[in-house]
Amino acid sequence: MAFRPLHDRVVVKRIDAEQKTAGGIIIPDTVKEKPQEGEIVAVGPGARDESGKLVALDVKVGDRVLFGKWSGTEVKIDGQDLLIMKESDILGVIEASASSKKAA
């Protein structure tokens, strides 16, 4: 099933957090917090301003983003756990640094 969000909504797939701390301690599932980082898998066409003009979104499919802990609505589509949220719930886009681009 294909899902297309409406207006200024986006569909985000959470990116799993690390299973271990920096010191090597394994974190059990019962105490893990849900990750606040995800990848955008679908975007709506945009919101309309007061004059009715379509305002495109700043994010696109494939962007890695940070969002608030309580942002979005959790849904299950085709067996995948996803979040649907408004673009305004996204705190920012994670961009690759220059050093990681050179390594790739």
Side-chain angles (χ1 to χ4, degrees), residues 3 16-17 27 30 35 42 51-52 62 65 68-70 84 93-94:
F3 182 82
D16 291 331
I27 303 169
T30 55
S51 65
V65 295
K69 188 178 281 194
W70 308 110
I84 300 174
V93 177
I94 300 171

Side-chain angles (χ1 to χ4, degrees), residues 14-70:
R14 285 187 198 267
I15 296 175
D16 291 331
E18 287 293 318
Q19 302 291 334
K20 289 193 235 179
T21 65
I25 299 172
I26 296 175
I27 303 169
D29 289 336
T30 55
V31 296
K32 273 193 230 173
E33 290 190 16
K34 290 184 177 180
Q36 293 174 263
E37 184 177 332
E39 180 179 347
I40 297 194
V41 295
V43 296
R48 300 217 177 252
D49 62 10
E50 293 83 26
S51 65
K53 182 180 171 193
L54 190 66
V55 178
L57 301 180
D58 289 331
V59 295
K60 61 187 179 307
V61 173
D63 281 351
R64 287 178 65 120
V65 295
L66 289 177
F67 49 87
K69 188 178 281 194
W70 308 110

Side-chain angles (χ1 to χ4, degrees), residues 10-12 14 67 71-75 81-85:
V10 297
V11 180
V12 178
R14 285 187 198 267
F67 49 87
S71 298
T73 301
E74 294 181 354
V75 296
D81 291 324
L82 302 170
L83 287 168
I84 300 174
M85 65 182 72

